[in-house]
Amino acid sequence: MIKICCIGAGYVGGPTMTMIARKCPDIRVDVADINAERIAAWKSDKLPVFEPGLDEIVREVRGKNLFFTTDVDSAISDADIIFISVNTPTKTYGYGAGSASDLSYVESCARRIADSADGNKFRVIVEKSTMPVRTAEVIRKIFTSRGRNFQILSNPEFLAEGTAMKDLENPDRILIGGDDSCEEGRRAIDALVSIYSRWIPKEKIITTNLWSSELSKLTANAFLAQRISSINSISALCEATGADVDEVALAIGSDSRIGSKFLKSSIGFGGSCFKKDLLNLIYLCDHFGLPQVAQYWRGVVEMNDFQKSRFCANVVESMFRNIKGKRLAIFGFAFKEDTNDTRESPAIDICKLLLSERAKLAFYDPKVSPGQICSDLGIDEKDSRVEFCKSACESAKGADAIIVLTHWKEFRELDYSEIIKQMNKPAWIFDGRNCLDHRLLIELGFLVRGIGKGNLS
Ligand code: NAD
Ligand code: UDX
């Protein structure tokens, strides 16, 4: 029986291994993490990650061929394929602080693998985490310095949160970077291809050299983020000129060379990946003596920050340049719909700015807990400026404005004719996701501001 071990039971490790276990019932999959609380949650009825469809599959395979453990060394010891799926956050200290990747978690995994895995067996180590280009070289040096000759592959993950299970079941492509110049390298690539090809057509499995694979992941995220910043830059011009950003997006996206996806103007991109990976790309460009290239990508991050502050300025400006003491209903805090993840959520910066203007915030998010919101905002749950509500309607009661920060489906389905009755007048809606029916809201009496829509009412 082939044994797979994954180090890191996070948003990537958990769902990815769940899908592998489901598709390969003859393979034993152990997911190991040093975070005991997280592992306990994976073993419980309340998983640490909310993803549509995940619960059902975990229930189906957990305890059969999918196991969660804190015993990292035992999980590593007899595994044939070891995935490294630990976090690679932006470094917050020393050289490269605020830009480079903090590889300490990856390095500690590499050392642990070198120490715990039997060196006599053929083993494949897979970089599943997003790594700076040439990280495989670092891992290899750690192995060879300890007399280990394990094969290293890069197999970045392209799933998006909220659609992870669909993405894992039917990905656009699987990317595997490896060294095909030697027999052992080819054997490693074949071993990983043989896992994925159980459910993914061979033509979707791309094999490249290690460095192309590592760099492709950073580049894919940079391109996706760039599209959002590009359309958001145009949204500012739309507001100044009376054009409608959704109409512009439709018009340009109909050009098959441009394509329609990732052109939804918003309060800016969030999530644990885009900003971190852009910053890492910028760091690498500077490091390799390419400051002009670094500057080009820096613009994508700057435009994203501009979009958030522009949105807040619009709220304050619209509400007669004064939101002090006003109740603002915050609809959504997660960085996107269908996830409980708030990492780098644009809601964090926006709410901090609104609090600095002394507004009172009444939060409702279907999946994010009050504790998480307070921790992200650096405030106490008992802070009198904030309130946590059980429903969107409750948060809108007595509010001067509704601020939509996450694209949750339920916000589109509310009865706004009832909601407006409970609000202070004038009643505002700032739709930071352009997801509501603005025409209807105006008819109901709301003063509506969207993104890239000019003054609607
Ligand atoms: P995460 O923070 O949710 O999970 C990482 C886990 O690794 C944590 O539970 C942590 O306790 C564990 N860990 C850290 N060091 C460890 C060690 N030495 N031994 C055992 N466990 C250890 O992170 P994530 O969102 O799953 O991301 C993981 C990687 O995948 C990152 O490199 C990220 O850039 C990349 N990625 C993330 C996404 C996404 O949507 N979240 C998508 C594609 C790629
Ligand atoms: C992203 C990549 O899409 C995925 O391939 C990679 O593996 C991890 O990073 P994720 O961050 O989970 O996935 O979600 P994504 O759907 O990309 O959204 C990122 C952010 O951009 C969200 O805040 C979302 O609301 C925003 N977004 C997305 C827009 O503002 N407009 C869009 O058109 C698309």
Side-chain angles (χ1 to χ4, degrees):
M1 189 187 204
I2 300 176
K3 285 191 179 171
I4 287 180
C5 155
C6 174
I7 312 179
Y11 282 85
V12 167
T16 310
M17 292 303 125
T18 301
M19 187 55 73
I20 291 183
R22 185 202 204 184
K23 297 291 182 183
C24 313
D26 56 322
I27 293 180
R28 180 186 165 107
V29 182
D30 287 291
V31 189
D33 203 295
I34 43 176
N35 182 336
E37 210 180 306
R38 219 167 206 190
I39 288 297
W42 278 112
K43 289 177 166 178
S44 77
D45 285 339
K46 192 162 176 1
L47 303 183
V49 169
F50 169 73
E51 272 298 336
L54 175 66
D55 283 36
E56 292 85 327
I57 308 182
V58 168
R59 250 181 263 130
E60 191 185 312
V61 290
R62 191 174 52 190
K64 286 191 184 133
N65 64 331
L66 176 69
F67 301 89
F68 294 94
T69 178
T70 49
D71 188 351
V72 183
D73 294 327
S74 299
I76 292 171
S77 70
D78 60 348
D80 303 279
I81 302 178
I82 302 170
F83 286 84
I84 300 178
S85 191
V86 298
N87 35 331
T88 48
T90 305
K91 212 174 158 206
T92 53
Y93 53 90
Y95 290 114
S99 185
S101 255
D102 181 348
L103 289 179
S104 58
Y105 306 95
V106 172
E107 189 178 329
S108 111
C109 284
R111 288 172 188 274
R112 211 150 176 177
I113 293 168
D115 291 344
S116 308
D118 170 6
N120 298 318
K121 197 170 154 174
F122 179 76
R123 283 177 203 275
V124 183
I125 315 304
V126 185
E127 294 177 346
K128 181 51 97 180
S129 300
T130 304
M131 315 265 193
V133 56
R134 297 204 79 89
T135 304
E137 200 170 4
V138 175
I139 299 176
R140 181 173 294 139
K141 277 187 183 147
I142 291 171
F143 289 164
T144 49
S145 71
R146 290 169 181 229
R148 302 293 195 224
N149 185 26
F150 302 145
Q151 286 303 307
I152 302 162
L153 300 177
S154 158
N155 170 223
E157 184 48 60
F158 294 98
L159 68 78
E161 288 179 29
T163 52
M165 301 321 284
K166 278 195 218 148
D167 297 341
L168 287 165
E169 179 139 38
N170 187 21
D172 285 344
R173 79 318 212 164
I174 290 290
L175 178 59
I176 299 176
D179 177 6
D180 67 356
S181 65
C182 63
E183 174 62 34
E184 296 228 301
R186 283 193 293 275
R187 194 175 152 198
I189 295 168
D190 288 347
L192 195 55
V193 169
S194 79
I195 305 276
Y196 285 116
S197 56
R198 310 252 192 133
W199 77 96
I200 293 160
K202 275 251 166 72
E203 59 277 14
K204 280 192 174 183
I205 304 178
I206 303 172
T207 53
T208 65
N209 79 30
L210 273 165
W211 320 131
S212 304
S213 174
E214 289 178 335
L215 186 56
S216 296
K217 175 62 199 178
L218 291 183
T219 309
N221 274 353
F223 269 58
L224 290 169
Q226 180 203 44
R227 280 175 73 91
I228 302 169
S229 277
S230 295
I231 198 68
N232 281 343
S233 74
I234 298 302
S235 76
L237 197 54
C238 286
E239 285 165 34
T241 57
D244 178 318
V245 75
D246 286 330
E247 291 179 356
V248 174
L250 177 69
I252 64 164
S254 305
D255 184 327
S256 59
R257 293 168 303 174
I258 295 175
S260 60
K261 293 182 181 164
F262 267 71
L263 287 180
K264 186 74 191 152
S265 192
S266 66
I267 40 174
F269 57 77
S272 63
C273 293
F274 282 172
K275 187 173 176 192
K276 159 180 87 75
D277 294 345
L278 276 163
L279 292 173
N280 188 213
L281 189 67
I282 292 163
Y283 176 81
L284 288 168
C285 294
D286 276 330
H287 174 81
F288 287 106
L290 299 165
Q292 294 83 352
V293 185
Q295 190 49 34
Y296 174 76
W297 290 108
R298 202 170 280 123
V300 176
V301 180
E302 286 167 0
M303 183 52 60
N304 200 48
D305 289 338
F306 175 60
Q307 191 72 352
K308 290 183 270 189
S309 59
R310 217 168 63 71
F311 179 76
C312 285
N314 193 1
V315 171
V316 178
E317 181 70 22
S318 303
M319 296 179 78
F320 318 123
R321 296 193 197 93
N322 168 36
I323 55 170
K324 185 176 165 187
K326 290 182 180 165
R327 179 181 169 100
L328 309 182
I330 305 296
F331 280 18
F333 199 80
F335 82 96
K336 64 184 284 197
E337 67 281 16
D338 291 336
T339 178
N340 59 346
D341 196 350
T342 62
R343 290 179 291 178
E344 293 295 336
S345 176
I348 300 173
D349 285 344
I350 289 171
C351 291
K352 280 183 178 170
L353 275 164
L354 298 175
L355 284 174
S356 73
E357 285 287 333
R358 306 198 173 169
K360 290 196 175 257
L361 306 185
F363 291 95
Y364 169 70
D365 185 289
K367 291 288 170 195
V368 181
S369 68
Q372 184 62 50
I373 294 174
C374 289
S375 140
D376 288 333
L377 296 178
I379 58 171
D380 193 87
E381 260 182 73
K382 294 198 183 86
D383 194 310
S384 61
R385 296 171 299 169
V386 297
E387 192 185 314
F388 299 95
C389 304
K390 298 245 173 319
S391 69
C393 296
E394 187 188 326
S395 75
K397 241 179 227 163
D400 296 275
I402 291 170
I403 320 253
V404 181
L405 298 183
T406 312
H407 207 284
W408 285 103
K409 185 163 169 260
E410 67 172 81
F411 300 151
R412 282 173 265 151
E413 294 167 347
L414 295 169
D415 181 353
Y416 286 94
S417 64
E418 281 304 311
I419 288 180
I420 195 168
K421 289 184 195 153
Q422 313 270 343
M423 289 178 66
N424 259 343
K425 308 295 175 320
W428 299 85
I429 287 197
F430 297 90
D431 183 358
R433 297 288 180 169
N434 283 348
C435 60
L436 304 181
D437 182 343
H438 294 172
R439 207 168 287 171
L440 173 75
L441 293 171
I442 292 166
E443 273 170 31
L444 292 174
F446 280 103
L447 298 175
V448 180
R449 295 286 179 274
I451 302 275
K453 300 276 180 185
N455 284 348
L456 292 163
S457 50

